[in-house]
Amino acid sequence: AAPLTVTFTDASTGTITNRFWSFGDNVTITTTATNVVHTYNTAGTNTVRLIVSGPVGVSTNTRTNYVVVVNPPQLVVTPSSRNFGSVTTGQTNTQTFSVMNTGDLPLNGSASVSAPFAISGSSSFNVAAGQTATVTVAFAPIAAGTFNGNVAFASNGGVSTNSVTGVGLTPGQIGVSPSALDFGTIATGTTSQRVFVVTNSGG
C-alpha cells in the first residue's frame, strides 16, 4: 500500500562508475551508490530499470511490472447522521449505516456507541476492496427525553464519527372522568346524553 518505501540494491559486478535508476513512476536518479531508497506515493504498477556504466561498457537490467503499489484501505461511512424519531420506552427502532471501502486492500474495524443506542448484531466489520457492509444501530430508550450520541467507527482505513439522535416517549396512559355518570330517570322513547372525558397523560 502507498506510500511504499523500497530499497534497491545493485548487485552488478565489475568496475562501475555510474548507475542510472528509473523507478517507473517518472522518477529517475543517477548515482554511484550501490543502494538507493525510493518511495512510491501513489498507486500503480511500476517497471524498474537500472543502467550501469563503466570503462568497459554499459549494461541494462529491466524488471517489468516489478513494483505494484496499491491504495490502502479507506473508510467511508454514510449517512453522516441518523434520526430515530420518537420511540416509546420499552420499544426499539433500528437504522443502518453503510460502511464502504474505497481502497484496494481489505478494511477491518469496529463500531461503538453509548446507551440508549447500541450496535445491533456484530460490532466488527470486514470489507473487501470496493465493497460495502452494513452496521445496524438500535435505539431503545428507557426514559422520556431527547437523546443524542455518536457512533464511532475505527478501522485500519481511518475513523468516522456519525451522529445519532432520538426521542423517548412514555407509553400512552388513559384517564377517564368522571368515574361514573347518572342518567337519572328517562322516559321510554327519549334519549339523554352524558359525556366522559378521555385523556392521555403519556407521551
Side-chain angles (χ1 to χ4, degrees), residues 59-165:
S59 179
T60 300
N61 188 348
T62 301
R63 291 290 183 263
T64 303
N65 300 335
Y66 193 52
V67 179
V68 179
V69 184
V70 297
N71 289 313
Q74 182 63 48
L75 173 71
V76 178
V77 180
T78 59
S80 60
S81 63
R82 282 293 193 188
N83 187 340
F84 289 79
S86 297
V87 179
T88 303
T89 57
Q91 302 296 313
T92 301
N93 186 17
T94 60
Q95 299 212 34
T96 60
F97 287 93
S98 294
V99 179
M100 296 175 286
N101 178 11
T102 58
D104 296 321
L105 295 176
L107 175 73
N108 304 302
S110 62
S112 62
V113 66
S114 298
F117 303 94
I119 304 299
S120 180
S122 176
S123 61
S124 62
F125 50 85
N126 301 285
V127 188
Q131 299 300 307
T132 301
T134 299
V135 171
T136 302
V137 179
F139 174 53
I142 60 173
T146 300
F147 300 91
N148 298 289
N150 290 300
V151 183
F153 296 87
S155 74
N156 60 339
V159 297
S160 180
T161 301
N162 298 64
S163 62
V164 287
T165 186

